[in-house]
Amino acid sequence: QVQLVESGGGWVQAGDSLRLSCQASGFPFRAYGMSWHRQAPGKERELVARLQIGGSIDYADSVKSRFTISGDNVKNTFYLEMNGLKPEDTAVYFCARQKSWNGPPDYWGQGTQVTVSS
């Protein structure tokens, strides 16, 4: 079955960096786009970045120039490199499989907590 397992979250200070990983299994990795989302306490889940099969990438305005999404087709893993972290980046981060570019994800990981202190 489809499984998405995030790792790499943690507690850091403002300005630090973290790399989140999402290990995918149960489906042909190269056949789907993937995305990262986050949900802060009391807020709705929001799209952070997405990577399309053909290589198109899209970022939320709040993370552009600081975050980088990438994928490794050999390891069936995709990543979110986060630099210059800010306290407002504190959230649970989820990876997701995109059935289509503009549609909602069809599978989600369990989430990993990122906490950024000032």
Side-chain angles (χ1 to χ4, degrees):
Q1 71 276 21
V2 174
Q3 283 193 317
L4 300 170
V5 181
E6 301 98 334
S7 61
W11 181 90
V12 296
Q13 294 188 328
D16 285 351
S17 299
L18 276 177
R19 188 177 77 160
L20 304 183
S21 300
C22 178
Q23 178 69 56
S25 60
F27 65 97
F29 187 72
R30 299 185 184 190
Y32 291 85
M34 303 296 289
S35 57
W36 286 98
H37 305 250
R38 67 186 181 187
Q39 187 166 19
K43 295 187 177 181
E44 293 188 355
R45 192 173 296 189
E46 62 173 353
L47 174 68
V48 174
R50 53 183 174 172
L51 174 63
Q52 196 180 22
I53 299 171
S56 297
I57 293 175
D58 188 28
Y59 296 99
D61 288 343
S62 59
V63 306
K64 280 181 182 176
S65 78
R66 297 190 298 122
F67 290 13
T68 303
I69 188 172
S70 64
D72 185 328
N73 290 332
V74 175
K75 296 182 178 179
N76 282 5
T77 301
F78 79 113
Y79 306 97
L80 185 67
E81 185 77 36
M82 306 185 294
N83 298 312
L85 283 162
K86 304 175 181 180
E88 51 264 43
D89 294 319
T90 294
V92 178
Y93 284 72
F94 300 87
C95 65
R97 191 181 79 169
Q98 294 286 144
K99 194 172 182 181
S100 64
W101 179 244
N102 289 316
D106 58 354
Y107 284 94
W108 295 86
Q110 82 287 352
T112 186
Q113 177 71 47
V114 172
T115 303
V116 185
S117 65
S118 57

